[in-house]
Amino acid sequence: MCYAIDVGTLVLLHGVLHMPLAVATTLAFVTVLAVNFGLNRSFVFRSGAMVGPAFAKYLVLVALNYGATLATVTGLAALGLPYVAAKTTSTVLNAVANYAAFRWWVFRAPAGPVVQGQAGPTPVRER
């Protein structure tokens, strides 16, 4: 879903509205951020981590992803790869790295008190 929003926005802005590729890539990237965070936090990782710290970590990851996305899309396009293929390549590379970062850093629940007889910490759910 996020990929469709991202690439759809890119195609609309660059392919239809003829915005410069770097600007269109940036706007498409920013458009999908809130959707990505919300879906990952709520549905993929069912995170009990506090929203504020998780979002701060997410923003650090976003900055790294932005640089990687912009470099990959514009670099591969400059080498002759169609921009949608360059965006797809960037998305696959970032997805692999992001899954690990989301799972073990961004959406990791804080350690809570250990309940007698329980193997690990009790997750703290925030509503």
Side-chain angles (χ1 to χ4, degrees):
M1 179 173 161
C2 287
Y3 176 78
I5 293 168
D6 197 359
V7 172
T9 303
L10 177 62
V11 169
L12 173 68
L13 296 176
H14 181 67
V16 176
L17 299 177
H18 307 291
M19 280 188 180
L21 183 57
V23 173
T25 299
T26 300
L27 291 175
F29 187 83
V30 169
T31 298
V32 79
L33 291 181
V35 173
N36 187 329
F37 180 80
L39 290 175
N40 275 303
R41 185 177 193 287
S42 298
F43 298 107
V44 177
F45 297 102
R46 300 190 191 280
S47 177
M50 294 183 64
V51 174
F55 192 69
K57 291 175 185 177
Y58 179 76
L59 290 178
V60 169
L61 193 58
V62 164
L64 295 172
N65 273 269
Y66 171 72
T69 298
L70 193 58
T72 303
V73 172
T74 58
L76 291 175
L79 294 173
L81 195 65
Y83 72 92
V84 173
K87 177 61 179 182
T88 302
T89 301
S90 173
T91 299
V92 170
L93 294 173
N94 283 336
V96 171
N98 285 343
Y99 181 82
F102 285 162
R103 173 82 169 95
W104 290 292
W105 185 54
V106 175
F107 296 117
R108 184 177 183 179
V114 175
V115 177
Q116 188 73 353
Q118 187 176 7
T122 303
V124 177
R125 295 282 299 173
E126 183 179 291
R127 298 264 173 190

